[in-house]
Amino acid sequence: MAPSEIGFVGLGNMGMAMARRLPAAGYQVVGYDASAEIMREIAGVDGFTPAPGITGLGTDVVMLCLPDSDVVEHVLLAEGLLDSVPAGGMVIDMSSSDPARTRALAARADEVDVTLIDAPVSGGVSGARAGTLTIMVGGPPEAFDLARPMLAAIGKRVLHAGDTGAGHAVKALNNLMSAAHLIVSSEALIAGRRFGLDPAVMLDIINGSSGRSGSTENKWPNYVLTEKFDAGFSIRLMVKDMRLALGIEHATGTPSLVSEAALAAWEAALGELPGDADHTEIARWLDRS
């Protein structure tokens, strides 16, 4: 399979940033989004063709960038996208989905001779624009080999995580760790500032020390100290991924005291912030407490 066209469903901030990488690699994108405004926008973008409808993509490969498993299942099953993919085709779910539900969808896809693999990403909107995303792929090795050139147009690191659902499992667990890093880093940096320390100086010290993380190296300097709070990933989606990760911990009998405490704190923030607030807003929420 060496498609010249790739269908892409879900052209929000993240999806559009990823899809824009494909024409530069020689692929024509047949795009679809539920937003009429986005569909009008892509009509004028080089390398993009608007699909006439969700079942009108007409491509052997379809990439999905959607909010969660509920939307993925609705698009594939209720709206008929899966049945419209040609036999022998492939669906690449780049959403942050539930790994158990992904496996069930892959079995449904197999019944109509379509391969469904999961390929969620890490790196945010900025990484999508720069083509530096890490892409973690779950699926049979032969499907990974077929998908890798297409995914390499979008991300810098394309890694085979294991069988179907493995990519979504790693993504959820990664985001649990990221969320825990961010909240404890924020608590420590806010405490330091209240003590009289300069947060920028603290970050300079910490980022050369054992307390460093993606939160201290990226999120705090670029989105919190600048007060931009626009990393491009909502607090609602972060909490969703944390719940998925905690479900994996519980299902495997893994101790989860710290994970449960982190989730409880994030859920408290979600209860007071709009669901579409950027997840870095949790630092400002903590500072008001």
Side-chain angles (χ1 to χ4, degrees):
M1 184 190 302
S4 59
E5 292 186 326
I6 296 175
F8 204 106
V9 178
L11 294 166
N13 289 337
M14 191 69 183
M16 181 65 84
M18 293 194 299
R20 282 181 179 272
R21 305 288 310 175
L22 293 168
Y27 299 102
Q28 179 76 20
V29 176
V30 182
Y32 179 81
D33 193 275
S35 165
E37 181 179 352
I38 289 175
M39 292 299 287
R40 288 192 294 270
E41 178 186 340
I42 66 171
V45 177
D46 287 344
F48 280 71
T49 301
I54 190 66
T55 60
L57 295 167
T59 59
D60 290 326
V61 174
V62 178
M63 294 182 176
L64 309 178
C65 185
L66 300 168
D68 53 37
S69 290
D70 287 345
V71 181
V72 170
E73 290 175 358
H74 182 78
V75 164
L76 287 175
L77 304 179
E79 295 193 27
L81 175 59
L82 180 58
D83 287 335
S84 74
V85 178
M90 179 182 290
V91 174
I92 304 175
D93 183 10
M94 306 189 75
S95 319
S96 293
S97 299
D98 181 332
R101 293 167 74 176
T102 296
R103 287 176 175 173
L105 277 175
R108 290 283 297 271
D110 189 57
E111 293 173 0
V112 292
D113 194 22
V114 172
T115 300
L116 185 147
I117 65 174
D118 45 308
V121 306
S122 181
V125 175
S126 60
R129 289 171 178 157
T132 57
L133 295 172
T134 292
I135 305 177
M136 49 214 89
V137 183
E142 59 274 18
F144 171 72
D145 290 340
L146 288 170
R148 180 161 44 184
M150 295 173 272
L151 296 174
I154 295 173
K156 184 176 182 180
R157 300 173 72 232
V158 182
L159 305 172
H160 190 210
D163 292 337
T164 305
H168 283 151
V170 174
K171 173 62 185 293
L173 293 165
N174 174 80
N175 278 10
L176 172 65
M177 295 171 67
S178 176
H181 295 163
L182 180 55
I183 196 165
V184 75
S185 297
S186 297
E187 289 176 349
L189 288 160
I190 291 167
R193 196 198 66 239
R194 293 179 181 180
F195 183 78
L197 301 172
D198 183 337
V201 172
M202 289 181 68
L203 287 169
D204 190 35
I205 294 169
I206 290 166
N207 285 335
S209 305
S210 58
R212 69 185 180 276
S213 70
S215 296
T216 62
E217 293 177 335
N218 177 34
K219 294 178 184 180
W220 255 80
N222 293 324
Y223 304 108
V224 179
L225 284 187
T226 60
E227 298 186 352
K228 292 180 179 178
F229 301 105
D230 61 352
F233 189 66
S234 74
I235 188 170
R236 179 184 65 82
L237 292 179
M238 180 64 86
V239 169
K240 181 263 295 182
D241 285 354
M242 293 178 75
R243 289 170 177 160
L244 289 175
L246 196 60
I248 294 170
E249 291 183 345
H250 288 165
T252 56
T254 305
S256 53
L257 291 176
V258 174
S259 299
E260 290 173 356
L263 176 58
W266 277 87
E267 286 178 332
L270 179 59
E272 298 183 15
L273 294 171
D276 60 354
D278 194 84
H279 73 285
T280 56
E281 284 276 4
I282 197 165
R284 182 153 55 184
W285 175 81
L286 283 168
D287 201 18
R288 293 198 297 259
S289 300

